[in-house]
Amino acid sequence: MKNKIVECQRCEWRCKIGEGKTGICGVRKNIKGKMELLGWGKASGLAVDPVEKKPLFHFLPGTGILSLGTVGCNFGCEFCQNYSESQRPKQKGVEVEVLEETIVPEELVSYCVSRGIKAIAFTYNEPTIWAEFAVEVMMLAKKKKILGVFVSNGFMSFETLDFIDKYIDAFNIDLKSFSEKFYKEVCHARLAPVLRNIEEIYKRKKWLEVTTLLIPGKNDSTKEIRSIAKFIAGISKSIPWHVTAFHPDFKMTDLPKTSEKKLLEAAEIGKEEGLRYVYTGNIGDWQGQSTFCPRCGKEVVRRLGYMVENKLESGKCTKCGYKIEGVWD
């Protein structure tokens, strides 16, 4: 601290915040020279979701996951589908502290135990910016063998990855583009830290899946799709990649929805680059959502929307015995 300026180290913006001000995310505030998290223990969303909604397809398939989020984001994506929560603190006059749902960590964990819920997801808005609260919840949850999940834009600092390391078991990271220009102009962010963190999360042996929302005319060229697939495959061919359909929202209401043809093309490119598990999202394509054994081609997990039939035995294909990568129980 110098002259009551506090440097936040939660994400790669590393905001230097003057007294009484907040960082880019809108929820981390310098109060009398101390970093405070606005809205601590308050939720804008709290629900039991299908784990496939995160999306996580190789992590406890067919189960419910307790999902919670607050408000704020360190990005400003112009296509954000949760913008009412993520961008809320950046609106003039909004009182971040006043949220409807109060979260008591002990009650949250007790709820999971009583209903046999195996995991908690920190989602809906960017969990990096409220990682302290996520860790407080998971310190209790871990004692009950409940797993932790981050659904994130991947812009966290190494300090944050260290901070959450013992508590978060799985990540779904949004890789929004393979272009710094796109990240700067459309997400108001930077690409390089996201690429670094995807590699780092995999190195830390966390379960990892990656999602790319394909936006017509913005990030859906064959060249860019192939670059993303190549990057993921270069880390591990076993990382599931979700290519999902855009629908007009927030500041991008003038663009068309992503076509099914484009999603299927992207999935095929992913497979050409060697990825074992590529999934299409936001379209009614059961084959594109289901998991097939990379060795023998047998369907091992059938999905249609959130209806899931897990045909694995101890995570293995019943036809050839191949161990499908993932967390299955």
Side-chain angles (χ1 to χ4, degrees), residues 98-131:
V98 183
L99 294 173
E100 293 179 6
E101 196 81 42
T102 300
I103 305 171
V104 178
E106 291 83 357
E107 292 179 2
L108 207 65
V109 173
S110 293
Y111 182 91
C112 291
V113 171
S114 66
R115 288 160 177 78
I117 295 171
K118 297 180 178 180
I120 298 173
F122 303 95
T123 180
Y124 303 143
N125 75 310
E126 178 50 49
T128 294
I129 63 176
W130 45 285

Side-chain angles (χ1 to χ4, degrees), residues 248-259:
D249 215 332
F250 195 29
K251 296 180 180 180
M252 285 192 166
T253 56
D254 57 335
L255 295 178
K257 294 188 290 187
T258 313
S259 69

